[in-house]
Amino acid sequence: MLVLLPPSEGKAVGGSGAALKAERLSLQGLGPAREAVLEELVSLCTGDEEKAREVLGLSEGLRGEVAKNAALRTAPARPAGEIYTGVLYDALGLSTLDSAAHRRAARSLLVFSGLWGAVRINDRIPSYRCSMGVKLPGLGALGAYWRKPMDEVIPEMAGGGLVLDLRSAAYAAAWKPKGEIAGRTAAMRVLHAQMVDGVEKRSVVSHFNKATKGRLVRELLTAGAAPKDPARLVEALRDLGYVVEAEAPAKRGAAWRLDVVVSEIH
């Protein structure tokens, strides 16, 4: 099972250790594309600070992120699983997984990134600020930029197994399953169901959507679940107590759609 995750806007800072060694990152097929984005981002952030803030969509309060990006080549690197923070990663709780579940996480979790394309949780990276929605002056929109490199590496990485897609829309733009692999891909969303004047209303609540996805992945890893296809994933999630509504693709080349329906927000 390959689980596709979004990164987090907030990232851990500080720490010590060796600087980035890009040649040691997973998915080496992304190496040239990563170097191009890294070079462009560092160049942007060592130049006009105001232009960099505008390109990156940073508020005045996040001005310090520009300097952080400028130092990416020499900044201390840490495992990506420690760098990414926020609601989903708090709920996932990588640091508190037992050793067997952590090994499963290292094999199956893939975090998409505007800067790196995608990384595994044990890949050592520095803290950075560059979302998939950014348009770099020399490379354009990163969502579009990453599509070709991703098309060359993700299918091989997925092999013949299930792909569970938990990415947000911006990161989903960087790779869309096509052909045979699409039939093994399950794109999931979390819906909050509540009764309003006797009628059930459903909505996506951002904070809770992320938290539920984090808990769900944690439970799959802890249980040692290894569903081979979307239909078996639905069974595994229901066994864990989730209410899941599944829609199989109507045509070849489309992914499964899974809705996890919850009634309580916490």
Side-chain angles (χ1 to χ4, degrees):
M1 178 173 64
L2 182 64
V3 182
L4 310 182
L5 297 175
S8 59
E9 284 297 317
K11 298 174 181 69
V13 295
S16 60
L20 170 72
K21 292 181 173 58
E23 70 277 7
R24 296 186 181 178
L25 296 179
S26 303
L27 286 75
Q28 274 297 295
L30 298 178
R34 284 172 175 153
E35 177 57 31
V37 179
L38 180 61
E39 178 63 27
E40 176 95 2
L41 183 60
V42 170
S43 177
L44 172 70
C45 292
T46 53
D48 186 330
E49 186 179 82
E50 291 306 313
K51 178 181 178 181
R53 280 210 304 129
E54 180 182 352
V55 170
L56 297 174
L58 301 176
S59 66
E60 175 66 31
L62 294 174
R63 180 180 292 274
E65 299 292 282
V66 175
K68 183 167 69 175
N69 282 347
L72 281 171
R73 294 192 184 275
T74 57
R78 299 167 60 180
E82 297 178 12
I83 289 289
Y84 295 116
T85 60
V87 177
L88 188 153
Y89 291 91
D90 285 347
L92 175 54
L94 288 169
S95 65
T96 61
L97 290 174
D98 62 42
S99 58
H102 200 278
R103 287 194 297 272
R104 296 183 194 108
R107 290 194 303 268
S108 62
L109 303 187
L110 192 65
V111 184
F112 272 60
S113 161
L115 173 53
W116 313 112
V119 292
R120 292 187 182 274
I121 62 167
N122 287 340
D123 283 331
R124 298 183 66 86
I125 58 174
S127 183
Y128 67 96
R129 189 76 174 217
C130 184
S131 72
M132 194 66 80
V134 164
K135 294 182 180 180
L136 290 176
L139 299 177
L142 291 176
Y145 171 82
W146 281 112
R147 286 174 197 158
K148 186 175 186 297
M150 290 294 189
D151 278 341
E152 295 173 355
V153 302
I154 299 297
E156 180 180 356
M157 190 176 185
L162 167 72
V163 178
L164 173 55
D165 190 353
L166 302 180
R167 298 171 297 165
S168 56
Y171 290 88
W175 180 73
K176 297 181 179 180
K178 304 170 186 174
E180 184 271 339
I181 195 174
R184 293 186 278 111
T185 299
M188 179 186 293
R189 62 179 181 171
V190 177
L191 300 178
H192 176 222
Q194 55 184 329
M195 300 301 293
V196 178
D197 296 329
V199 178
E200 184 184 75
K201 302 289 185 180
R202 294 182 176 184
S203 60
V204 176
V205 180
S206 179
H207 181 281
F208 184 61
N209 172 58
K210 295 173 184 177
T212 301
K213 287 178 177 178
R215 284 193 292 269
L216 181 150
V217 172
R218 181 184 178 89
E219 291 180 36
L220 287 172
L221 294 171
T222 302
K228 302 297 184 182
D229 55 46
R232 290 183 176 89
L233 172 63
V234 172
E235 294 176 4
L237 291 173
R238 288 173 176 165
D239 287 345
L240 289 171
Y242 288 95
V243 176
V244 184
E245 297 176 355
E247 181 181 341
K251 59 181 180 180
R252 180 179 173 80
W256 282 62
R257 307 295 302 182
L258 302 188
D259 286 343
V260 172
V261 184
V262 296
S263 58
E264 295 182 1
I265 294 182
H266 58 87

